[in-house]
Amino acid sequence: AAGVIQSPRHLIKEKRETATLKCYPIPRHDTVYWYQQGPGQDPQFLISFYEKMQSDKGSIPDRFSAQQFSDYHSELNMSSLELGDSALYFCASSSGQSAQFFGPGTRLTVL
Amino acid sequence: GENVEQHPSTLSVQEGDSAVIKCTYSDSASNYFPWYKQELGKRPQLIIDIRSNVGEKKDQRIAVTLNKTAKHFSLHITETQPEDSAVYFCAARTENTGNQFYFGTGTSLTVIP
């Protein structure tokens, strides 16, 4: 069965650079979520989209933005990167009454 | 909004023993409760879920129970094996907040061979 796809899987950036993470949800899933997970921490909800509209906002910094496109893929844009942004970034998708299914994550390292 | 609390934060059991992880939630409108298992550096994987119209669900060695009155739900793992060692997260979804999921803070389970 198709799963959530994330790219890239690994990303290394310098401080103050920008990064763009991509997420392709499971086909026919209408909701996309973004999470940030630091070492030894639980996933922190950043933002979600339902049918291409932002549906909820969590602890997403102002330096980050996200959108969902007409083909339902989503991108998380991160600017002015800081050392503390180094983390695993997960995208998840769900539909109606289903659970969230997570992608493999993007490991971002900021040097 | 919904608040999900999870206990314990760490749990060590001998291989073959049972493990129980408990979560409480605050919003009585929450109606769907999945459990995720996350191994180090990997994605959270759904292992079992329960809806609010059911009191218990079992899948081989894992089971989940739900007490709507008390607003708590628990994960039970029987005959634990070393490969059960991971971090487990509970979550709750509340219908009146769309598809938003609220996660517990995780339980690190270690199964000692």
Side-chain angles (χ1 to χ4, degrees), chain A residues 16-83:
Chain A
R16 293 180 288 278
E17 286 190 320
T18 61
T20 297
L21 310 185
K22 295 186 179 183
C23 170
Y24 297 84
I26 292 171
R28 289 177 294 283
H29 276 195
D30 52 25
T31 308
V32 167
Y33 313 79
W34 285 97
Y35 293 89
Q36 178 192 59
Q37 188 175 33
Q41 311 219 333
D42 54 298
Q44 294 295 308
F45 170 69
L46 295 178
I47 195 167
S48 63
F49 293 88
Y50 171 71
E51 286 291 347
K52 293 162 278 186
M53 299 285 289
Q54 183 183 306
S55 58
D56 207 350
K57 205 169 181 179
S59 52
I60 185 169
D62 292 341
R63 299 177 289 109
F64 294 6
S65 65
Q67 56 183 325
Q68 188 177 25
F69 295 86
S70 57
D71 65 351
Y72 289 89
H73 95 272
S74 179
E75 294 184 4
L76 178 66
N77 299 294
M78 310 160 72
S79 63
S80 303
L81 286 169
E82 302 173 356
L83 296 178

Side-chain angles (χ1 to χ4, degrees), chain B residues 44-64:
Chain B
Q45 297 257 17
L46 177 71
I47 56 171
I48 196 167
D49 56 8
I50 191 167
R51 299 189 187 279
S52 58
N53 58 349
V54 176
E56 183 174 359
K57 185 176 178 180
K58 192 172 181 181
D59 183 3
Q60 300 183 338
R61 295 186 299 108
I62 59 172
V64 57

